[in-house]
Amino acid sequence: MNGTPDIITRIERLQRLDTLDDLETECFGQKLTKINEAGLVIRNMSLLDDNADYLSRQPSLRDFLSVALNLPHSYAVVELQHYALDIAEQLTKFWSLDVDDPLYISLLKQLDGLDRGAILTSLRAISRISMNLDESNRLRGVPIHAIQRICEWTLLDDEELVHACLDFLYQFTAIPDNVEYLL
């Protein structure tokens, strides 16, 4: 039920096609619209708890999230990536993600970006990992530079971001091994 363990390695082996971001063919535009519509439908489905529970048991959806979050930076995929993050936020509470899980790695990678929405949603998704399970979320493998950035974001005049950062830090420091890691 964990999806494809080497999905990120497979994505990295793919060769990026050289395209102009401002120009797209009609066919590409139509396909992109369909893909975004499908992402929106899945995102909307995931907002209902029963649907989220069902979707969380679909390994192909977990692979989709990993793929979407690792697409090359392009304006054409931003909308899909935000849908993927929204879906992850709703589903991670049903999953236990190990340090080497492709989705966990993908969510942590979002914290290195500049997109406030992606950072905010990633923080919330990471904080909710295994929330509906008996086992606790260990949050291992969080890079120290990510922790430093999260601490810096708590100083911003952005209530929503500060709340997400504090929630993450609370979850992170609830595990004694993580506190030792910080020291």
Side-chain angles (χ1 to χ4, degrees), residues 76-121:
V77 298
V78 170
E79 184 177 354
L80 181 65
Q81 288 176 322
H82 279 274
Y83 293 151
L85 286 168
D86 288 343
I87 295 165
E89 181 182 354
Q90 299 305 315
L91 301 186
T92 53
K93 62 187 172 186
F94 297 103
W95 292 328
S96 174
L97 302 179
D98 293 327
V99 69
D100 59 344
D101 187 285
L103 181 57
Y104 184 63
I105 293 167
S106 301
L107 289 169
L108 287 175
K109 198 160 55 167
Q110 297 298 310
L111 301 179
D112 293 333
L114 299 174
D115 183 336
R116 177 194 173 275
I119 291 167
L120 184 62
T121 311

Short mmCIF file of all heavy atoms in Angstrom, two decimals, residues 76-121:
data_model
loop_
_atom_site.label_atom_id
_atom_site.label_comp_id
_atom_site.label_asym_id
_atom_site.label_seq_id
_atom_site.Cartn_x
_atom_site.Cartn_y
_atom_site.Cartn_z
N ALA A 76 3.23 25.76 -16.00
CA ALA A 76 2.19 24.85 -16.48
C ALA A 76 1.77 23.82 -15.43
O ALA A 76 0.67 23.31 -15.48
CB ALA A 76 2.66 24.14 -17.75
N VAL A 77 2.64 23.51 -14.48
CA VAL A 77 2.32 22.47 -13.51
C VAL A 77 2.05 23.00 -12.10
O VAL A 77 1.75 22.21 -11.20
CB VAL A 77 3.43 21.40 -13.46
CG1 VAL A 77 3.56 20.70 -14.79
CG2 VAL A 77 4.75 21.98 -13.01
N VAL A 78 2.13 24.29 -11.89
CA VAL A 78 1.94 24.86 -10.56
C VAL A 78 0.56 24.51 -10.00
O VAL A 78 0.43 24.10 -8.84
CB VAL A 78 2.17 26.39 -10.57
CG1 VAL A 78 1.74 27.02 -9.27
CG2 VAL A 78 3.62 26.70 -10.87
N GLU A 79 -0.47 24.65 -10.81
CA GLU A 79 -1.83 24.37 -10.34
C GLU A 79 -1.95 22.91 -9.91
O GLU A 79 -2.49 22.60 -8.84
CB GLU A 79 -2.84 24.69 -11.46
CG GLU A 79 -4.28 24.53 -11.06
CD GLU A 79 -5.25 24.91 -12.17
OE1 GLU A 79 -4.82 25.41 -13.23
OE2 GLU A 79 -6.46 24.69 -11.97
N LEU A 80 -1.44 22.00 -10.71
CA LEU A 80 -1.50 20.58 -10.39
C LEU A 80 -0.72 20.28 -9.11
O LEU A 80 -1.16 19.50 -8.27
CB LEU A 80 -0.94 19.75 -11.55
CG LEU A 80 -0.97 18.23 -11.35
CD1 LEU A 80 -2.40 17.72 -11.25
CD2 LEU A 80 -0.23 17.54 -12.49
N GLN A 81 0.42 20.93 -8.94
CA GLN A 81 1.21 20.71 -7.73
C GLN A 81 0.48 21.20 -6.49
O GLN A 81 0.55 20.56 -5.44
CB GLN A 81 2.58 21.38 -7.87
CG GLN A 81 3.47 20.65 -8.85
CD GLN A 81 4.81 21.32 -9.08
OE1 GLN A 81 4.91 22.55 -9.13
NE2 GLN A 81 5.85 20.52 -9.23
N HIS A 82 -0.23 22.30 -6.60
CA HIS A 82 -1.01 22.77 -5.46
C HIS A 82 -2.15 21.82 -5.13
O HIS A 82 -2.45 21.59 -3.95
CB HIS A 82 -1.50 24.20 -5.70
CG HIS A 82 -0.45 25.23 -5.41
ND1 HIS A 82 -0.22 25.75 -4.17
CD2 HIS A 82 0.46 25.80 -6.23
CE1 HIS A 82 0.77 26.60 -4.22
NE2 HIS A 82 1.21 26.66 -5.46
N TYR A 83 -2.78 21.27 -6.14
CA TYR A 83 -3.81 20.26 -5.90
C TYR A 83 -3.20 19.05 -5.21
O TYR A 83 -3.78 18.49 -4.27
CB TYR A 83 -4.49 19.82 -7.20
CG TYR A 83 -5.32 20.89 -7.87
CD1 TYR A 83 -5.50 20.89 -9.25
CD2 TYR A 83 -5.96 21.89 -7.15
CE1 TYR A 83 -6.26 21.86 -9.89
CE2 TYR A 83 -6.71 22.87 -7.77
CZ TYR A 83 -6.87 22.85 -9.14
OH TYR A 83 -7.63 23.80 -9.75
N ALA A 84 -2.02 18.62 -5.66
CA ALA A 84 -1.34 17.47 -5.07
C ALA A 84 -1.02 17.74 -3.60
O ALA A 84 -1.19 16.86 -2.74
CB ALA A 84 -0.08 17.13 -5.84
N LEU A 85 -0.58 18.95 -3.29
CA LEU A 85 -0.29 19.30 -1.90
C LEU A 85 -1.56 19.30 -1.06
O LEU A 85 -1.55 18.84 0.10
CB LEU A 85 0.42 20.65 -1.83
CG LEU A 85 1.87 20.65 -2.28
CD1 LEU A 85 2.39 22.06 -2.46
CD2 LEU A 85 2.74 19.86 -1.31
N ASP A 86 -2.65 19.83 -1.61
CA ASP A 86 -3.92 19.82 -0.89
C ASP A 86 -4.38 18.39 -0.61
O ASP A 86 -4.88 18.08 0.48
CB ASP A 86 -5.01 20.55 -1.68
CG ASP A 86 -4.82 22.06 -1.71
OD1 ASP A 86 -4.07 22.59 -0.87
OD2 ASP A 86 -5.43 22.72 -2.59
N ILE A 87 -4.21 17.52 -1.59
CA ILE A 87 -4.58 16.11 -1.42
C ILE A 87 -3.69 15.48 -0.34
O ILE A 87 -4.19 14.78 0.56
CB ILE A 87 -4.44 15.34 -2.76
CG1 ILE A 87 -5.45 15.87 -3.78
CG2 ILE A 87 -4.62 13.84 -2.54
CD1 ILE A 87 -5.16 15.44 -5.22
N ALA A 88 -2.39 15.73 -0.41
CA ALA A 88 -1.46 15.19 0.59
C ALA A 88 -1.84 15.65 1.99
O ALA A 88 -1.78 14.87 2.95
CB ALA A 88 -0.03 15.59 0.25
N GLU A 89 -2.24 16.90 2.10
CA GLU A 89 -2.63 17.44 3.41
C GLU A 89 -3.80 16.64 3.99
O GLU A 89 -3.86 16.41 5.20
CB GLU A 89 -3.01 18.91 3.28
CG GLU A 89 -3.40 19.56 4.59
CD GLU A 89 -3.82 21.01 4.45
OE1 GLU A 89 -3.70 21.58 3.34
OE2 GLU A 89 -4.27 21.58 5.45
N GLN A 90 -4.71 16.23 3.15
CA GLN A 90 -5.88 15.48 3.61
C GLN A 90 -5.57 14.00 3.87
O GLN A 90 -6.24 13.37 4.69
CB GLN A 90 -7.02 15.58 2.58
CG GLN A 90 -7.51 16.99 2.34
CD GLN A 90 -7.95 17.69 3.61
OE1 GLN A 90 -8.65 17.12 4.44
NE2 GLN A 90 -7.51 18.93 3.79
N LEU A 91 -4.58 13.45 3.18
CA LEU A 91 -4.34 12.00 3.24
C LEU A 91 -3.21 11.58 4.18
O LEU A 91 -3.20 10.43 4.63
CB LEU A 91 -4.06 11.45 1.84
CG LEU A 91 -5.15 11.66 0.79
CD1 LEU A 91 -4.78 10.92 -0.49
CD2 LEU A 91 -6.51 11.21 1.28
N THR A 92 -2.26 12.45 4.46
CA THR A 92 -1.10 12.02 5.26
C THR A 92 -1.51 11.56 6.65
O THR A 92 -0.78 10.77 7.26
CB THR A 92 -0.02 13.12 5.36
OG1 THR A 92 -0.62 14.32 5.83
CG2 THR A 92 0.67 13.34 4.03
N LYS A 93 -2.64 12.00 7.13
CA LYS A 93 -3.07 11.57 8.47
C LYS A 93 -3.37 10.06 8.51
O LYS A 93 -3.40 9.46 9.57
CB LYS A 93 -4.28 12.38 8.93
CG LYS A 93 -5.51 12.25 8.08
CD LYS A 93 -6.58 13.21 8.54
CE LYS A 93 -7.74 13.23 7.56
NZ LYS A 93 -8.72 14.26 7.93
N PHE A 94 -3.57 9.47 7.34
CA PHE A 94 -3.84 8.03 7.25
C PHE A 94 -2.58 7.21 6.99
O PHE A 94 -2.64 5.99 6.92
CB PHE A 94 -4.85 7.74 6.13
CG PHE A 94 -6.19 8.37 6.34
CD1 PHE A 94 -6.54 9.52 5.66
CD2 PHE A 94 -7.11 7.82 7.23
CE1 PHE A 94 -7.79 10.11 5.84
CE2 PHE A 94 -8.34 8.40 7.43
CZ PHE A 94 -8.69 9.55 6.74
N TRP A 95 -1.45 7.86 6.80
CA TRP A 95 -0.22 7.18 6.40
C TRP A 95 0.88 7.35 7.44
O TRP A 95 1.01 8.40 8.06
CB TRP A 95 0.32 7.74 5.08
CG TRP A 95 -0.51 7.44 3.88
CD1 TRP A 95 -1.27 6.33 3.64
CD2 TRP A 95 -0.66 8.27 2.73
NE1 TRP A 95 -1.87 6.43 2.42
CE2 TRP A 95 -1.52 7.61 1.83
CE3 TRP A 95 -0.15 9.51 2.37
CZ2 TRP A 95 -1.88 8.13 0.60
CZ3 TRP A 95 -0.50 10.04 1.15
CH2 TRP A 95 -1.36 9.35 0.27
N SER A 96 1.69 6.32 7.54
CA SER A 96 2.93 6.42 8.28
C SER A 96 4.04 6.50 7.22
O SER A 96 4.18 5.60 6.41
CB SER A 96 3.11 5.16 9.14
OG SER A 96 4.37 5.18 9.75
N LEU A 97 4.76 7.59 7.20
CA LEU A 97 5.78 7.80 6.17
C LEU A 97 7.17 7.70 6.78
O LEU A 97 7.51 8.45 7.70
CB LEU A 97 5.59 9.18 5.51
CG LEU A 97 4.24 9.45 4.86
CD1 LEU A 97 4.20 10.87 4.28
CD2 LEU A 97 3.93 8.44 3.79
N ASP A 98 7.95 6.77 6.27
CA ASP A 98 9.32 6.60 6.73
C ASP A 98 10.21 7.69 6.13
O ASP A 98 9.83 8.37 5.18
CB ASP A 98 9.87 5.23 6.32
CG ASP A 98 9.15 4.10 7.05
OD1 ASP A 98 8.75 4.31 8.21
OD2 ASP A 98 9.00 3.02 6.45
N VAL A 99 11.41 7.79 6.64
CA VAL A 99 12.36 8.81 6.20
C VAL A 99 12.72 8.65 4.72
O VAL A 99 13.03 9.64 4.05
CB VAL A 99 13.61 8.81 7.11
CG1 VAL A 99 14.43 7.56 6.90
CG2 VAL A 99 14.45 10.05 6.89
N ASP A 100 12.65 7.44 4.20
CA ASP A 100 13.00 7.21 2.80
C ASP A 100 11.78 7.08 1.89
O ASP A 100 11.90 6.73 0.72
CB ASP A 100 13.89 5.97 2.67
CG ASP A 100 13.22 4.72 3.20
OD1 ASP A 100 12.22 4.82 3.93
OD2 ASP A 100 13.71 3.61 2.89
N ASP A 101 10.61 7.41 2.41
CA ASP A 101 9.38 7.36 1.60
C ASP A 101 9.41 8.48 0.57
O ASP A 101 9.68 9.64 0.90
CB ASP A 101 8.16 7.52 2.51
CG ASP A 101 6.86 7.31 1.77
OD1 ASP A 101 6.47 8.23 1.01
OD2 ASP A 101 6.26 6.24 1.92
N PRO A 102 9.15 8.17 -0.70
CA PRO A 102 9.20 9.19 -1.75
C PRO A 102 8.28 10.39 -1.49
O PRO A 102 8.66 11.53 -1.77
CB PRO A 102 8.76 8.45 -3.01
CG PRO A 102 9.04 7.02 -2.73
CD PRO A 102 8.86 6.84 -1.25
N LEU A 103 7.11 10.16 -0.94
CA LEU A 103 6.20 11.27 -0.67
C LEU A 103 6.73 12.15 0.45
O LEU A 103 6.68 13.38 0.37
CB LEU A 103 4.79 10.76 -0.34
CG LEU A 103 3.76 11.84 -0.07
CD1 LEU A 103 3.63 12.81 -1.26
CD2 LEU A 103 2.41 11.23 0.26
N TYR A 104 7.28 11.54 1.48
CA TYR A 104 7.86 12.30 2.59
C TYR A 104 9.02 13.16 2.10
O TYR A 104 9.11 14.35 2.41
CB TYR A 104 8.32 11.33 3.69
CG TYR A 104 8.85 11.98 4.94
CD1 TYR A 104 8.05 12.78 5.73
CD2 TYR A 104 10.17 11.81 5.34
CE1 TYR A 104 8.53 13.37 6.89
CE2 TYR A 104 10.67 12.38 6.49
CZ TYR A 104 9.83 13.16 7.26
OH TYR A 104 10.33 13.75 8.41
N ILE A 105 9.87 12.56 1.29
CA ILE A 105 11.01 13.30 0.71
C ILE A 105 10.50 14.46 -0.15
O ILE A 105 11.02 15.57 -0.09
CB ILE A 105 11.89 12.34 -0.12
CG1 ILE A 105 12.57 11.32 0.79
CG2 ILE A 105 12.92 13.11 -0.94
CD1 ILE A 105 13.21 10.16 0.06
N SER A 106 9.44 14.20 -0.92
CA SER A 106 8.87 15.23 -1.80
C SER A 106 8.28 16.38 -0.99
O SER A 106 8.42 17.55 -1.38
CB SER A 106 7.80 14.61 -2.70
OG SER A 106 8.34 13.58 -3.47
N LEU A 107 7.60 16.06 0.10
CA LEU A 107 7.02 17.11 0.95
C LEU A 107 8.11 17.94 1.61
O LEU A 107 8.01 19.17 1.66
CB LEU A 107 6.10 16.49 2.00
CG LEU A 107 4.79 15.91 1.49
CD1 LEU A 107 4.09 15.09 2.57
CD2 LEU A 107 3.87 17.01 0.98
N LEU A 108 9.16 17.29 2.08
CA LEU A 108 10.27 18.03 2.69
C LEU A 108 10.95 18.94 1.67
O LEU A 108 11.36 20.06 2.00
CB LEU A 108 11.31 17.07 3.29
CG LEU A 108 10.90 16.37 4.58
CD1 LEU A 108 11.96 15.36 5.00
CD2 LEU A 108 10.65 17.37 5.70
N LYS A 109 11.05 18.48 0.43
CA LYS A 109 11.69 19.27 -0.62
C LYS A 109 10.92 20.57 -0.90
O LYS A 109 11.50 21.58 -1.28
CB LYS A 109 11.82 18.44 -1.89
CG LYS A 109 12.83 18.98 -2.86
CD LYS A 109 13.35 18.00 -3.88
CE LYS A 109 12.30 17.31 -4.69
NZ LYS A 109 12.83 16.61 -5.86
N GLN A 110 9.62 20.54 -0.67
CA GLN A 110 8.80 21.75 -0.90
C GLN A 110 9.20 22.87 0.05
O GLN A 110 9.00 24.05 -0.26
CB GLN A 110 7.31 21.43 -0.72
CG GLN A 110 6.76 20.41 -1.69
CD GLN A 110 6.84 20.88 -3.12
OE1 GLN A 110 6.44 21.99 -3.45
NE2 GLN A 110 7.37 20.03 -3.97
N LEU A 111 9.77 22.52 1.20
CA LEU A 111 10.17 23.53 2.18
C LEU A 111 11.37 24.35 1.71
O LEU A 111 11.66 25.39 2.27
CB LEU A 111 10.49 22.87 3.52
CG LEU A 111 9.35 22.08 4.16
CD1 LEU A 111 9.82 21.45 5.47
CD2 LEU A 111 8.12 22.94 4.37
N ASP A 112 12.04 23.89 0.66
CA ASP A 112 13.19 24.62 0.12
C ASP A 112 12.77 25.67 -0.91
O ASP A 112 13.60 26.46 -1.34
CB ASP A 112 14.18 23.66 -0.55
CG ASP A 112 14.85 22.74 0.45
OD1 ASP A 112 14.97 23.12 1.64
OD2 ASP A 112 15.24 21.62 0.05
N GLY A 113 11.52 25.66 -1.30
CA GLY A 113 11.04 26.56 -2.34
C GLY A 113 10.71 27.95 -1.83
O GLY A 113 10.91 28.28 -0.65
N LEU A 114 10.16 28.76 -2.73
CA LEU A 114 9.79 30.14 -2.40
C LEU A 114 8.28 30.36 -2.44
O LEU A 114 7.80 31.44 -2.10
CB LEU A 114 10.46 31.11 -3.38
CG LEU A 114 11.99 31.09 -3.39
CD1 LEU A 114 12.53 31.98 -4.51
CD2 LEU A 114 12.54 31.52 -2.05
N ASP A 115 7.54 29.34 -2.85
CA ASP A 115 6.09 29.45 -2.98
C ASP A 115 5.44 29.30 -1.61
O ASP A 115 5.43 28.22 -1.02
CB ASP A 115 5.59 28.35 -3.94
CG ASP A 115 4.10 28.41 -4.20
OD1 ASP A 115 3.35 28.95 -3.37
OD2 ASP A 115 3.68 27.89 -5.25
N ARG A 116 4.90 30.40 -1.09
CA ARG A 116 4.31 30.40 0.24
C ARG A 116 3.23 29.34 0.38
O ARG A 116 3.14 28.63 1.38
CB ARG A 116 3.73 31.78 0.55
CG ARG A 116 3.03 31.86 1.89
CD ARG A 116 2.17 33.13 2.02
NE ARG A 116 1.39 33.14 3.22
CZ ARG A 116 0.20 32.56 3.34
NH1 ARG A 116 -0.32 31.89 2.33
NH2 ARG A 116 -0.48 32.63 4.48
N GLY A 117 2.37 29.23 -0.63
CA GLY A 117 1.28 28.26 -0.58
C GLY A 117 1.80 26.83 -0.50
O GLY A 117 1.27 26.00 0.25
N ALA A 118 2.83 26.53 -1.27
CA ALA A 118 3.40 25.18 -1.26
C ALA A 118 4.07 24.90 0.09
O ALA A 118 3.93 23.80 0.64
CB ALA A 118 4.41 25.02 -2.39
N ILE A 119 4.76 25.87 0.63
CA ILE A 119 5.42 25.71 1.93
C ILE A 119 4.38 25.48 3.02
O ILE A 119 4.50 24.55 3.82
CB ILE A 119 6.29 26.94 2.25
CG1 ILE A 119 7.49 27.00 1.31
CG2 ILE A 119 6.74 26.93 3.71
CD1 ILE A 119 8.24 28.33 1.33
N LEU A 120 3.36 26.31 3.03
CA LEU A 120 2.31 26.22 4.05
C LEU A 120 1.61 24.87 4.01
O LEU A 120 1.45 24.20 5.04
CB LEU A 120 1.31 27.37 3.81
CG LEU A 120 0.18 27.56 4.79
CD1 LEU A 120 0.73 27.87 6.17
CD2 LEU A 120 -0.70 28.70 4.32
N THR A 121 1.20 24.45 2.83
CA THR A 121 0.48 23.19 2.71
C THR A 121 1.38 22.01 3.02
O THR A 121 0.95 21.03 3.64
CB THR A 121 -0.13 23.05 1.30
OG1 THR A 121 -0.83 24.26 0.98
CG2 THR A 121 -1.13 21.91 1.24
#
